[in-house]
Amino acid sequence: MNISSFSQQSNYTLEPWRMLGWLFAAQVLVAFVGRSVSPLGVLIGEDLSLTKAQIGMLPAALFFGQMAAAIPAGIVADRIDSRKLLLMLSLCLGCGFLLTTFTSSFVLILLLIALGGVGYGTIHPTSNKGIIYWFDSKKRGTAMGIKQMGVTAGSALAALVLLPVAGTWGWRTAIIGAAVLLIFVGVLSFRFYHEPPSVAERNGSMNRGHFLPSLLNMFKHKPLLLVSLGATGLNGSQLMLNTYIVLFAYQKLGISLFLSGLLLVISDVSGSFGRIGWGIISDRLFYGRRIIILMIIALLTGCVSLLVAFLPADTPFWVMVPVTIMFGFCTSGFNGIWMNAATELVPREQAGAASGFSIMIGSWGTVIGPPLFGFIVDQSGTFSAGWIFLSSIMVFVFFTLLYANILVKKHGISRQES
């Protein structure tokens, strides 16, 4: 092999990882902006005099927008260049959040966050498509875990950076800075990201008539539907933790606001490691059997949530750290496995649409979960009832996924091999 051919082969080998880098960067900044409503919820609530249920509606609005955009975004992702989508979703999310800083109307803020959620929801089918086509099945779980780690990394950065900034200069200033940075990274992604040549040639070749039958088939695809229903509960648990861990630690445990925010950072960082860790475990130990991993995650999440429900009011910060690490590793670490499970149950050509379909179903947990958790806490007067509610959801998730796994084995549905 001469030097030229070796160089070409080396570049070809590294190119998927370079493109993963841009997908990861976009994912981080999208989460940095979108997930900012959870750590900033305390300050937004104080500024607008909101109840806990209303604070829970802030992230719910984001994921309502994601849910509304999920299937259209998935269909579009299967048809057009991802570069264009990366730029468009960055502008949509960034501008939506920028506009929230110019109003004090709670209803209008919810509407603008939901508009931003359309951009937030588009990142998943767009980036999932890139993972499916750039990586084979032996590396896909790890690559998806790295890409999905961008969500928790962005969320952790929002708590670590934006909460102190907002505490000093106000939540509006913090959101303005984050939104401008997102738009800048979106422009860079448009400039430097590209798809494999085979995908670039195929984009736009499918006609509109193929999509409605394909979408109907996804509703009839029982394993995909069951995995998506399981993701509803897991998504809800993740947003309940992210939305209320700061309030819980600050108001019930008496931990300072700074250390309470640090718990959210710890949770998200643990989730980042979880997304890679669960991906590696599923690839190497369970040979791509993603649903079993999701069942394990649901079981562990339910146990940790039940433990948190019975923590005494004087629990110190150092005790909360390992509990939060395990909580975040599980409930914030499942997303990559979920995306793999959803996209690997259908042909590669339907990966974007399958992502969109599963996100549409799974997003209901993020829309309903945080406000319902807050309502339960408001009515009961204790956070314990909320954490017990979260544990009960995990029981439903476990048995839903168990049924999905039985169907996969029965019908011989296997993961994609290329």
Side-chain angles (χ1 to χ4, degrees), residues 101-121:
T101 64
F102 294 97
T103 180
S104 294
S105 168
F106 177 64
V107 174
L108 185 55
I109 287 175
L110 289 180
L111 290 174
L112 291 170
I113 290 176
L115 173 63
V118 173
Y120 183 90

Side-chain angles (χ1 to χ4, degrees), residues 96 116 130 133 175 224 265:
Y133 279 95
I175 287 180
L224 177 60
V265 175

